[in-house]
Coordinates of all heavy atoms in Angstrom, one line a residue:
M1 N 87.4 -236.8 -165.3 CA 87.2 -237.9 -164.4 C 87.1 -239.2 -165.3 O 86.6 -239.2 -166.4 CB 85.9 -237.7 -163.6 CG 85.6 -238.9 -162.7 SD 84.1 -238.7 -161.8 CE 82.9 -239.4 -162.9
H2 N 87.7 -240.2 -164.7 CA 87.6 -241.5 -165.3 C 87.1 -242.5 -164.3 O 87.6 -242.5 -163.1 CB 89.0 -242.0 -165.9 CG 88.9 -243.2 -166.7 ND1 88.3 -243.4 -167.9 CD2 89.4 -244.5 -166.4 CE1 88.4 -244.6 -168.3 NE2 89.1 -245.3 -167.4
E3 N 86.2 -243.4 -164.6 CA 85.6 -244.3 -163.6 C 85.4 -245.7 -164.3 O 85.0 -245.8 -165.4 CB 84.3 -243.7 -163.1 CG 83.7 -244.5 -162.0 CD 82.5 -243.8 -161.4 OE1 81.5 -243.8 -162.0 OE2 82.7 -243.3 -160.3
I4 N 85.8 -246.7 -163.5 CA 85.5 -248.1 -163.9 C 84.8 -248.8 -162.8 O 85.3 -248.8 -161.6 CB 86.9 -248.9 -164.2 CG1 87.6 -248.2 -165.3 CG2 86.6 -250.3 -164.5 CD1 89.0 -248.8 -165.6
C5 N 83.6 -249.3 -163.1 CA 82.8 -250.0 -162.1 C 82.8 -251.5 -162.4 O 82.6 -251.9 -163.5 CB 81.4 -249.4 -162.0 SG 81.4 -247.7 -161.6
L6 N 82.9 -252.3 -161.3 CA 83.0 -253.8 -161.5 C 82.2 -254.4 -160.4 O 82.2 -254.0 -159.2 CB 84.5 -254.2 -161.3 CG 85.5 -253.6 -162.2 CD1 86.9 -253.8 -161.6 CD2 85.4 -254.2 -163.6
K7 N 81.5 -255.5 -160.7 CA 80.8 -256.3 -159.7 C 81.8 -257.2 -159.1 O 82.5 -258.0 -159.8 CB 79.7 -257.1 -160.4 CG 78.5 -256.2 -160.8 CD 77.4 -257.0 -161.3 CE 76.2 -256.1 -161.7 NZ 75.1 -256.8 -162.2
L8 N 81.9 -257.1 -157.8 CA 82.9 -258.0 -157.0 C 82.2 -258.7 -155.9 O 81.2 -258.2 -155.4 CB 84.0 -257.1 -156.4 CG 84.8 -256.3 -157.4 CD1 85.7 -255.3 -156.6 CD2 85.7 -257.2 -158.2
T9 N 82.7 -259.9 -155.6 CA 82.2 -260.7 -154.5 C 83.2 -260.8 -153.4 O 84.3 -260.4 -153.6 CB 81.8 -262.1 -155.0 OG1 83.1 -262.8 -155.3 CG2 80.9 -262.1 -156.2
E10 N 82.7 -261.2 -152.2 CA 83.6 -261.3 -151.1 C 84.7 -262.3 -151.3 O 85.7 -262.3 -150.6 CB 82.8 -261.8 -149.9 CG 81.8 -260.8 -149.4 CD 80.9 -261.3 -148.3 OE1 81.3 -262.3 -147.6 OE2 79.8 -260.8 -148.1
S11 N 84.5 -263.2 -152.3 CA 85.6 -264.2 -152.5 C 86.6 -263.8 -153.6 O 87.3 -264.6 -154.1 CB 84.9 -265.5 -152.9 OG 84.2 -265.4 -154.1
E12 N 86.6 -262.5 -154.0 CA 87.5 -262.0 -155.0 C 88.3 -260.9 -154.4 O 88.0 -260.3 -153.5 CB 86.7 -261.4 -156.2 CG 85.8 -262.5 -156.9 CD 85.0 -261.9 -158.0 OE1 84.3 -260.9 -157.8 OE2 84.9 -262.6 -159.0
I13 N 89.5 -260.7 -155.1 CA 90.4 -259.6 -154.8 C 90.6 -258.8 -156.1 O 90.9 -259.4 -157.2 CB 91.7 -260.1 -154.3 CG1 91.5 -260.8 -152.9 CG2 92.7 -258.9 -154.1 CD1 92.8 -261.4 -152.3
L14 N 90.5 -257.5 -156.1 CA 90.8 -256.7 -157.2 C 92.2 -256.2 -157.1 O 92.6 -255.6 -156.1 CB 89.8 -255.5 -157.2 CG 90.1 -254.4 -158.2 CD1 90.0 -254.8 -159.6 CD2 89.2 -253.2 -157.9
H15 N 93.0 -256.5 -158.1 CA 94.4 -256.0 -158.1 C 94.5 -254.9 -159.1 O 93.9 -255.1 -160.2 CB 95.4 -257.1 -158.5 CG 95.3 -258.3 -157.7 ND1 96.0 -258.5 -156.5 CD2 94.6 -259.5 -157.8 CE1 95.7 -259.6 -155.9 NE2 94.8 -260.3 -156.7
Y16 N 95.0 -253.8 -158.8 CA 95.0 -252.6 -159.7 C 96.3 -251.8 -159.6 O 97.0 -251.9 -158.6 CB 93.8 -251.7 -159.5 CG 93.7 -251.2 -158.1 CD1 94.3 -250.0 -157.8 CD2 93.1 -251.9 -157.1 CE1 94.3 -249.5 -156.5 CE2 93.0 -251.4 -155.8 CZ 93.6 -250.2 -155.5 OH 93.6 -249.7 -154.2
K17 N 96.7 -251.2 -160.7 CA 97.8 -250.2 -160.6 C 97.6 -249.1 -161.7 O 96.8 -249.3 -162.7 CB 99.1 -250.9 -160.9 CG 99.3 -251.6 -162.2 CD 100.6 -252.3 -162.3 CE 100.7 -253.1 -163.6 NZ 102.0 -253.8 -163.7
F18 N 98.1 -248.0 -161.4 CA 98.1 -246.9 -162.4 C 99.3 -246.0 -162.2 O 99.9 -246.0 -161.2 CB 96.8 -246.1 -162.2 CG 96.7 -245.3 -161.0 CD1 97.1 -244.0 -161.0 CD2 96.1 -245.8 -159.8 CE1 97.0 -243.2 -159.8 CE2 96.0 -245.0 -158.7 CZ 96.5 -243.7 -158.7
K19 N 99.5 -245.2 -163.2 CA 100.6 -244.2 -163.2 C 100.1 -243.0 -164.1 O 99.6 -243.2 -165.2 CB 101.9 -244.7 -163.8 CG 103.0 -243.7 -163.7 CD 104.3 -244.4 -164.1 CE 105.4 -243.3 -163.9 NZ 106.7 -243.9 -164.2
A20 N 100.1 -241.8 -163.5 CA 99.6 -240.6 -164.2 C 100.8 -239.7 -164.4 O 101.8 -239.7 -163.7 CB 98.5 -240.0 -163.3
T21 N 100.6 -238.8 -165.3 CA 101.7 -237.8 -165.6 C 101.6 -236.6 -164.6 O 102.5 -235.8 -164.5 CB 101.6 -237.3 -167.0 OG1 100.3 -236.8 -167.3 CG2 101.9 -238.4 -168.0
Q22 N 100.5 -236.5 -164.0 CA 100.3 -235.5 -162.9 C 99.4 -236.1 -161.8 O 98.8 -237.1 -162.0 CB 99.5 -234.2 -163.4 CG 100.3 -233.4 -164.4 CD 99.5 -232.2 -164.9 OE1 98.8 -231.6 -164.1 NE2 99.7 -231.8 -166.1
I23 N 99.4 -235.5 -160.6 CA 98.7 -236.1 -159.5 C 97.2 -236.1 -159.8 O 96.7 -235.1 -160.4 CB 99.0 -235.3 -158.2 CG1 100.4 -235.5 -157.8 CG2 98.0 -235.6 -157.1 CD1 100.9 -234.7 -156.6
V24 N 96.6 -237.2 -159.4 CA 95.1 -237.4 -159.6 C 94.6 -237.8 -158.2 O 95.3 -238.3 -157.4 CB 94.7 -238.5 -160.6 CG1 95.2 -238.0 -162.0 CG2 95.3 -239.8 -160.3
E25 N 93.3 -237.5 -158.0 CA 92.6 -238.0 -156.8 C 92.1 -239.4 -157.2 O 91.4 -239.6 -158.2 CB 91.5 -237.1 -156.4 CG 90.7 -237.7 -155.2 CD 89.5 -236.9 -154.9 OE1 89.6 -235.7 -154.5 OE2 88.4 -237.4 -155.1
F26 N 92.4 -240.4 -156.4 CA 91.9 -241.8 -156.7 C 91.1 -242.3 -155.5 O 91.5 -242.0 -154.3 CB 93.1 -242.7 -156.9 CG 92.7 -244.1 -157.0 CD1 92.1 -244.6 -158.2 CD2 92.9 -245.0 -156.0 CE1 91.7 -245.9 -158.3 CE2 92.5 -246.3 -156.1 CZ 91.9 -246.8 -157.2
H27 N 90.1 -243.0 -155.7 CA 89.3 -243.6 -154.7 C 88.5 -244.8 -155.2 O 88.3 -244.9 -156.4 CB 88.4 -242.7 -153.9 CG 87.3 -242.1 -154.7 ND1 87.4 -240.9 -155.4 CD2 86.1 -242.6 -155.0 CE1 86.2 -240.7 -156.0 NE2 85.4 -241.7 -155.8
I28 N 88.1 -245.6 -154.3 CA 87.1 -246.7 -154.6 C 85.9 -246.5 -153.8 O 86.0 -246.2 -152.6 CB 87.7 -248.1 -154.3 CG1 89.0 -248.4 -155.2 CG2 86.7 -249.2 -154.5 CD1 89.7 -249.7 -154.9
H29 N 84.7 -246.5 -154.5 CA 83.5 -246.3 -153.8 C 82.4 -247.2 -154.3 O 82.5 -247.9 -155.3 CB 83.0 -244.8 -153.9 CG 82.5 -244.5 -155.3 ND1 83.3 -244.1 -156.3 CD2 81.3 -244.5 -155.8 CE1 82.6 -243.9 -157.4 NE2 81.3 -244.2 -157.1
Y30 N 81.3 -247.3 -153.5 CA 80.1 -248.0 -153.9 C 78.9 -247.3 -153.4 O 79.0 -246.4 -152.5 CB 80.1 -249.5 -153.4 CG 80.0 -249.7 -152.0 CD1 78.8 -249.9 -151.3 CD2 81.1 -249.7 -151.2 CE1 78.7 -250.1 -150.0 CE2 81.1 -249.9 -149.8 CZ 79.8 -250.1 -149.2 OH 79.8 -250.3 -147.9
H31 N 77.8 -247.6 -154.0 CA 76.5 -246.9 -153.6 C 75.6 -247.9 -152.9 O 75.5 -249.0 -153.3 CB 75.8 -246.4 -154.9 CG 76.6 -245.4 -155.6 ND1 76.4 -244.0 -155.5 CD2 77.5 -245.5 -156.6 CE1 77.2 -243.4 -156.3 NE2 77.9 -244.3 -157.0
K32 N 74.9 -247.4 -151.9 CA 73.9 -248.1 -151.2 C 72.7 -247.2 -151.0 O 72.8 -246.2 -150.3 CB 74.4 -248.6 -149.8 CG 73.5 -249.6 -149.2 CD 74.1 -250.2 -148.0 CE 73.3 -251.3 -147.4 NZ 73.9 -252.0 -146.3
K33 N 71.7 -247.4 -151.8 CA 70.6 -246.5 -151.9 C 71.1 -245.2 -152.4 O 71.8 -245.1 -153.4 CB 69.8 -246.4 -150.7 CG 69.1 -247.8 -150.3 CD 68.2 -247.7 -149.2 CE 67.6 -249.0 -148.9 NZ 66.6 -249.0 -147.8
E34 N 70.9 -244.1 -151.6 CA 71.4 -242.8 -152.1 C 72.7 -242.4 -151.4 O 73.2 -241.3 -151.7 CB 70.3 -241.8 -151.8 CG 69.0 -242.1 -152.4 CD 68.3 -240.9 -153.0 OE1 68.8 -239.8 -152.9 OE2 67.2 -241.1 -153.6
Q35 N 73.3 -243.3 -150.6 CA 74.5 -243.0 -149.9 C 75.7 -243.5 -150.7 O 75.6 -244.5 -151.4 CB 74.5 -243.6 -148.5 CG 73.6 -242.9 -147.6 CD 73.8 -243.5 -146.2 OE1 73.5 -244.6 -146.0 NE2 74.2 -242.6 -145.3
V36 N 76.9 -242.9 -150.6 CA 78.1 -243.3 -151.2 C 79.1 -243.7 -150.1 O 79.2 -242.9 -149.1 CB 78.7 -242.2 -152.1 CG1 80.0 -242.6 -152.7 CG2 77.7 -241.8 -153.2
F37 N 79.7 -244.8 -150.2 CA 80.6 -245.3 -149.2 C 82.0 -245.5 -149.9 O 82.1 -245.9 -151.0 CB 80.2 -246.7 -148.7 CG 78.9 -246.6 -147.9 CD1 77.7 -246.7 -148.5 CD2 78.9 -246.3 -146.5 CE1 76.5 -246.6 -147.8 CE2 77.7 -246.2 -145.8 CZ 76.5 -246.4 -146.5
Y38 N 83.0 -245.2 -149.1 CA 84.4 -245.2 -149.6 C 85.3 -246.2 -148.9 O 85.9 -245.9 -147.9 CB 85.0 -243.8 -149.5 CG 84.4 -242.7 -150.3 CD1 83.3 -242.0 -149.9 CD2 84.9 -242.5 -151.6 CE1 82.7 -241.1 -150.7 CE2 84.3 -241.5 -152.4 CZ 83.2 -240.8 -151.9 OH 82.6 -239.9 -152.7
P39 N 85.3 -247.4 -149.3 CA 86.2 -248.4 -148.7 C 87.7 -248.1 -148.9 O 88.5 -248.4 -148.1 CB 85.9 -249.7 -149.3 CG 85.1 -249.4 -150.6 CD 84.5 -248.1 -150.4
K40 N 88.0 -247.3 -150.0 CA 89.3 -246.7 -150.2 C 89.1 -245.2 -150.3 O 88.6 -244.7 -151.3 CB 90.0 -247.3 -151.5 CG 91.2 -246.6 -151.9 CD 92.4 -247.5 -151.8 CE 93.7 -246.9 -152.2 NZ 94.4 -246.2 -151.2
F41 N 89.5 -244.5 -149.3 CA 89.3 -243.1 -149.2 C 90.0 -242.3 -150.3 O 91.1 -242.8 -150.7 CB 89.6 -242.5 -147.8 CG 88.6 -242.9 -146.8 CD1 88.9 -243.9 -145.9 CD2 87.4 -242.3 -146.7 CE1 88.0 -244.3 -144.9 CE2 86.5 -242.6 -145.7 CZ 86.8 -243.6 -144.8
P42 N 89.5 -241.2 -150.7 CA 90.3 -240.4 -151.8 C 91.7 -240.0 -151.3 O 91.9 -239.6 -150.1 CB 89.4 -239.1 -151.9 CG 88.0 -239.6 -151.5 CD 88.2 -240.6 -150.4
E43 N 92.6 -240.2 -152.2 CA 94.0 -239.8 -152.0 C 94.5 -239.1 -153.2 O 94.1 -239.5 -154.3 CB 94.9 -241.0 -151.7 CG 94.7 -241.7 -150.4 CD 95.7 -242.8 -150.3 OE1 96.8 -242.5 -149.9 OE2 95.3 -244.0 -150.5
D44 N 95.4 -238.1 -153.1 CA 96.1 -237.5 -154.2 C 97.3 -238.3 -154.5 O 98.2 -238.4 -153.6 CB 96.4 -236.1 -153.9 CG 95.2 -235.2 -153.9 OD1 94.2 -235.6 -154.5 OD2 95.2 -234.1 -153.2
L45 N 97.4 -238.9 -155.7 CA 98.5 -239.8 -156.0 C 99.0 -239.6 -157.4 O 98.3 -239.2 -158.3 CB 98.1 -241.3 -155.8 CG 97.5 -241.7 -154.5 CD1 96.8 -243.0 -154.6 CD2 98.7 -241.8 -153.5
L46 N 100.3 -240.0 -157.6 CA 100.8 -240.0 -159.0 C 100.8 -241.4 -159.5 O 100.6 -241.6 -160.7 CB 102.3 -239.5 -158.9 CG 103.0 -239.2 -160.2 CD1 102.2 -238.2 -161.1 CD2 104.4 -238.7 -160.0
S47 N 100.9 -242.4 -158.6 CA 100.9 -243.8 -159.0 C 100.5 -244.7 -157.8 O 100.6 -244.2 -156.7 CB 102.2 -244.3 -159.6 OG 103.2 -244.2 -158.6
L48 N 100.1 -245.9 -158.1 CA 99.7 -246.8 -157.1 C 99.7 -248.2 -157.6 O 99.3 -248.4 -158.8 CB 98.3 -246.4 -156.5 CG 97.8 -247.2 -155.3 CD1 98.7 -247.0 -154.1 CD2 96.4 -246.8 -155.0
N49 N 100.1 -249.2 -156.8 CA 100.0 -250.6 -157.1 C 99.5 -251.2 -155.9 O 100.2 -251.3 -154.9 CB 101.4 -251.1 -157.5 CG 101.3 -252.5 -158.0 OD1 100.3 -253.2 -157.9 ND2 102.5 -253.0 -158.6
D50 N 98.2 -251.7 -155.9 CA 97.6 -252.1 -154.7 C 96.5 -253.2 -155.0 O 96.3 -253.6 -156.1 CB 96.9 -250.9 -154.0 CG 96.7 -251.0 -152.5 OD1 97.0 -252.1 -152.0 OD2 96.3 -250.0 -151.9
S51 N 95.8 -253.6 -153.9 CA 94.7 -254.6 -154.1 C 93.6 -254.2 -153.1 O 93.8 -253.5 -152.2 CB 95.2 -256.0 -153.9 OG 95.7 -256.1 -152.6
F52 N 92.4 -254.7 -153.4 CA 91.2 -254.4 -152.7 C 90.4 -255.6 -152.5 O 90.1 -256.3 -153.5 CB 90.4 -253.3 -153.4 CG 89.1 -253.1 -152.8 CD1 88.9 -252.5 -151.6 CD2 87.9 -253.5 -153.5 CE1 87.6 -252.3 -151.0 CE2 86.7 -253.3 -153.0 CZ 86.5 -252.7 -151.8
K53 N 90.0 -256.0 -151.3 CA 89.2 -257.1 -151.0 C 87.8 -256.6 -150.5 O 87.8 -256.0 -149.4 CB 89.8 -258.0 -150.0 CG 88.9 -259.3 -149.8 CD 89.3 -260.1 -148.6 CE 88.4 -261.2 -148.3 NZ 86.9 -260.8 -148.3
P54 N 86.8 -256.8 -151.3 CA 85.5 -256.3 -150.8 C 85.0 -257.0 -149.6 O 85.2 -258.2 -149.4 CB 84.6 -256.5 -152.0 CG 85.3 -257.5 -152.9 CD 86.7 -257.4 -152.6
Q55 N 84.3 -256.3 -148.7 CA 83.7 -257.0 -147.5 C 82.3 -257.5 -147.8 O 81.7 -258.2 -147.0 CB 83.7 -255.9 -146.4 CG 85.0 -255.5 -146.0 CD 85.9 -256.6 -145.5 OE1 85.5 -257.3 -144.6 NE2 87.1 -256.7 -146.1
Q56 N 81.7 -257.1 -149.0 CA 80.4 -257.6 -149.3 C 80.3 -257.6 -150.9 O 81.0 -256.9 -151.5 CB 79.3 -256.7 -148.7 CG 79.4 -255.2 -149.1 CD 78.4 -254.4 -148.5 OE1 77.3 -254.8 -148.4 NE2 78.8 -253.2 -148.0
N57 N 79.4 -258.4 -151.4 CA 79.1 -258.4 -152.8 C 78.5 -257.1 -153.2 O 77.5 -256.7 -152.6 CB 78.2 -259.6 -153.1 CG 78.8 -261.0 -152.8 OD1 79.9 -261.1 -152.4 ND2 77.9 -262.0 -152.9
N58 N 79.0 -256.5 -154.2 CA 78.5 -255.2 -154.6 C 79.2 -254.8 -155.9 O 80.2 -255.4 -156.4 CB 78.8 -254.2 -153.5 CG 77.7 -253.1 -153.5 OD1 77.1 -252.7 -154.5 ND2 77.5 -252.6 -152.3
S59 N 78.8 -253.7 -156.5 CA 79.4 -253.0 -157.6 C 80.3 -251.9 -157.0 O 79.8 -251.0 -156.3 CB 78.4 -252.5 -158.6 OG 79.0 -251.9 -159.7
Y60 N 81.6 -252.0 -157.3 CA 82.6 -251.0 -156.8 C 83.2 -250.2 -158.0 O 83.4 -250.8 -159.0 CB 83.7 -251.7 -156.0 CG 83.2 -252.4 -154.8 CD1 82.7 -253.7 -154.8 CD2 83.3 -251.8 -153.6 CE1 82.3 -254.4 -153.7 CE2 82.8 -252.4 -152.4 CZ 82.3 -253.7 -152.5 OH 81.9 -254.3 -151.3
C61 N 83.4 -249.0 -157.7 CA 83.9 -248.1 -158.8 C 85.3 -247.5 -158.4 O 85.5 -247.0 -157.3 CB 83.0 -246.9 -159.0 SG 81.4 -247.5 -159.6
M62 N 86.3 -247.7 -159.3 CA 87.6 -247.0 -159.1 C 87.4 -245.7 -159.9 O 87.0 -245.7 -161.0 CB 88.7 -247.9 -159.8 CG 89.0 -249.2 -159.1 SD 90.4 -250.1 -159.9 CE 89.6 -250.6 -161.4
T63 N 87.8 -244.6 -159.2 CA 87.6 -243.3 -159.8 C 88.9 -242.5 -159.8 O 89.5 -242.5 -158.7 CB 86.5 -242.5 -159.1 OG1 85.3 -243.3 -159.1 CG2 86.2 -241.2 -159.8
W64 N 89.3 -241.9 -160.9 CA 90.4 -241.0 -161.0 C 89.9 -239.6 -161.4 O 89.1 -239.5 -162.3 CB 91.4 -241.5 -162.1 CG 92.0 -242.8 -161.8 CD1 93.2 -243.0 -161.2 CD2 91.5 -244.1 -162.2 NE1 93.5 -244.4 -161.2 CE2 92.5 -245.0 -161.8 CE3 90.3 -244.5 -162.8 CZ2 92.3 -246.4 -162.0 CZ3 90.2 -245.9 -163.0 CH2 91.1 -246.8 -162.6
L65 N 90.3 -238.6 -160.6 CA 89.9 -237.3 -160.9 C 91.1 -236.3 -161.1 O 91.9 -236.3 -160.2 CB 89.0 -236.8 -159.7 CG 88.5 -235.3 -159.8 CD1 87.6 -235.1 -161.0 CD2 87.8 -234.9 -158.5
N66 N 91.1 -235.7 -162.3 CA 92.1 -234.7 -162.6 C 91.6 -233.4 -162.1 O 90.7 -232.8 -162.7 CB 92.4 -234.7 -164.1 CG 93.4 -233.6 -164.5 OD1 94.0 -233.0 -163.7 ND2 93.5 -233.4 -165.8
R67 N 92.2 -232.8 -161.1 CA 91.8 -231.5 -160.6 C 92.4 -230.3 -161.3 O 92.0 -229.2 -161.1 CB 92.0 -231.4 -159.1 CG 91.1 -232.3 -158.3 CD 91.1 -231.9 -156.9 NE 91.1 -233.1 -156.0 CZ 91.6 -233.1 -154.8 NH1 92.1 -232.0 -154.3 NH2 91.6 -234.2 -154.1
S68 N 93.4 -230.6 -162.1 CA 94.1 -229.5 -162.8 C 93.3 -229.1 -164.1 O 92.4 -229.9 -164.5 CB 95.5 -229.9 -163.2 OG 95.5 -230.7 -164.4
K69 N 93.6 -228.0 -164.6 CA 92.9 -227.6 -165.8 C 93.5 -228.1 -167.1 O 93.0 -227.9 -168.2 CB 92.8 -226.1 -165.9 CG 92.0 -225.5 -164.8 CD 91.9 -224.0 -164.8 CE 91.1 -223.5 -163.6 NZ 91.0 -222.1 -163.5
N70 N 94.7 -228.8 -166.9 CA 95.4 -229.3 -168.1 C 95.1 -230.8 -168.3 O 95.0 -231.6 -167.3 CB 96.9 -229.1 -167.9 CG 97.2 -227.7 -167.7 OD1 96.7 -226.8 -168.4 ND2 98.1 -227.4 -166.8
P71 N 95.1 -231.3 -169.5 CA 95.0 -232.7 -169.8 C 96.2 -233.5 -169.2 O 97.3 -232.9 -169.2 CB 94.9 -232.8 -171.3 CG 94.8 -231.5 -171.8 CD 95.2 -230.5 -170.7
I72 N 95.9 -234.7 -168.8 CA 97.0 -235.5 -168.3 C 97.0 -236.9 -169.0 O 96.0 -237.3 -169.6 CB 96.9 -235.8 -166.8 CG1 95.7 -236.5 -166.4 CG2 97.0 -234.5 -166.0 CD1 95.7 -237.1 -165.0
G73 N 98.1 -237.6 -168.9 CA 98.1 -239.0 -169.4 C 98.1 -239.9 -168.2 O 98.6 -239.6 -167.1
M74 N 97.5 -241.1 -168.5 CA 97.5 -242.1 -167.4 C 97.4 -243.5 -168.0 O 96.7 -243.7 -169.0 CB 96.2 -241.8 -166.5 CG 96.2 -242.7 -165.3 SD 94.8 -242.4 -164.3 CE 93.4 -243.2 -165.2
T75 N 98.1 -244.4 -167.4 CA 98.0 -245.8 -167.8 C 97.5 -246.6 -166.6 O 97.8 -246.2 -165.4 CB 99.3 -246.4 -168.3 OG1 100.3 -246.3 -167.2 CG2 99.8 -245.7 -169.5
Y76 N 96.7 -247.6 -166.8 CA 96.2 -248.4 -165.7 C 95.9 -249.8 -166.1 O 95.8 -250.1 -167.3 CB 94.9 -247.8 -165.0 CG 93.7 -247.8 -166.0 CD1 92.9 -248.9 -166.1 CD2 93.5 -246.7 -166.8 CE1 91.8 -248.9 -166.9 CE2 92.4 -246.7 -167.6 CZ 91.6 -247.7 -167.7 OH 90.5 -247.7 -168.5
S77 N 95.9 -250.7 -165.2 CA 95.5 -252.1 -165.5 C 94.9 -252.6 -164.2 O 95.2 -252.1 -163.1 CB 96.7 -252.9 -165.9 OG 97.7 -253.0 -164.9
Y78 N 94.1 -253.7 -164.3 CA 93.5 -254.3 -163.2 C 93.2 -255.8 -163.6 O 93.0 -256.1 -164.7 CB 92.3 -253.6 -162.7 CG 91.1 -253.5 -163.7 CD1 90.2 -254.5 -163.6 CD2 91.0 -252.5 -164.6 CE1 89.1 -254.5 -164.6 CE2 90.0 -252.5 -165.5 CZ 89.0 -253.5 -165.5 OH 88.0 -253.5 -166.4
N79 N 93.0 -256.6 -162.6 CA 92.5 -258.0 -162.8 C 91.9 -258.4 -161.5 O 92.1 -257.8 -160.4 CB 93.6 -258.9 -163.2 CG 94.7 -259.2 -162.2 OD1 94.4 -259.7 -161.2 ND2 95.9 -258.8 -162.5
I80 N 91.0 -259.4 -161.6 CA 90.3 -259.9 -160.4 C 90.7 -261.3 -160.3 O 90.7 -262.1 -161.2 CB 88.8 -259.8 -160.7 CG1 88.4 -258.3 -160.9 CG2 88.0 -260.4 -159.5 CD1 87.0 -258.1 -161.4
S81 N 91.0 -261.7 -159.0 CA 91.4 -263.1 -158.8 C 90.5 -263.6 -157.7 O 90.0 -262.9 -156.8 CB 92.8 -263.2 -158.4 OG 93.1 -262.5 -157.2
E82 N 90.3 -265.0 -157.7 CA 89.5 -265.6 -156.6 C 90.4 -265.9 -155.4 O 91.6 -266.2 -155.6 CB 89.0 -267.0 -157.1 CG 87.9 -266.9 -158.2 CD 86.6 -266.5 -157.6 OE1 86.3 -266.9 -156.4 OE2 85.8 -265.8 -158.3
I83 N 89.9 -265.8 -154.2 CA 90.6 -266.1 -153.0 C 90.6 -267.6 -152.9 O 89.6 -268.3 -153.1 CB 89.9 -265.5 -151.8 CG1 90.0 -264.0 -151.9 CG2 90.6 -266.0 -150.5 CD1 89.2 -263.3 -150.8
K84 N 91.8 -268.1 -152.7 CA 91.9 -269.6 -152.6 C 92.2 -270.1 -151.2 O 92.6 -269.4 -150.3 CB 93.1 -270.1 -153.5 CG 92.8 -269.8 -154.9 CD 93.9 -270.2 -155.8 CE 93.6 -269.8 -157.2 NZ 94.5 -270.2 -158.2

């Protein structure tokens, strides 16, 4: 599993992309008390180029999960921009 957590505001957009050598489960989640919420539900993907606009100020986590028993390679990048 690989996870990156970022503090985002309602006035920001998270742009992200990744490419894996095998399918990974990807999702974006945040925690509120003891509950976990998924504004981007888990999907099995090989690659993705997308953006995410938070509905509230919070810390959001992008998570990649390798369900296979073999190591995989993955590249990713992201940036945050202000809504204008």
Side-chain angles (χ1 to χ4, degrees):
M1 181 180 85
H2 185 70
E3 185 170 76
I4 298 174
C5 297
L6 306 162
K7 289 185 179 180
L8 299 171
T9 68
E10 294 175 21
S11 64
E12 296 175 319
I13 297 178
L14 171 64
H15 305 276
Y16 58 91
K17 62 182 174 180
F18 71 88
K19 185 173 184 177
T21 56
Q22 293 181 35
I23 290 176
V24 294
E25 178 187 294
F26 174 76
H27 66 264
I28 296 176
H29 72 274
Y30 67 93
H31 299 264
K32 190 170 186 179
K33 297 188 180 182
E34 302 220 359
Q35 290 186 295
V36 179
F37 296 89
Y38 294 88
K40 171 116 179 85
F41 288 102
E43 289 185 78
D44 291 336
L45 301 165
L46 191 56
S47 64
L48 184 63
N49 187 349
D50 205 354
S51 59
F52 169 71
K53 185 194 172 310
Q55 299 299 307
Q56 59 183 317
N57 299 352
N58 211 329
S59 180
Y60 294 87
C61 299
M62 295 184 288
T63 305
W64 296 265
L65 177 62
N66 173 13
R67 289 197 223 153
S68 78
K69 295 180 181 177
N70 300 318
I72 64 166
M74 186 178 77
T75 58
Y76 64 88
S77 64
Y78 65 89
N79 65 64
I80 299 167
S81 63
E82 289 285 326
I83 296 174
K84 296 180 182 181

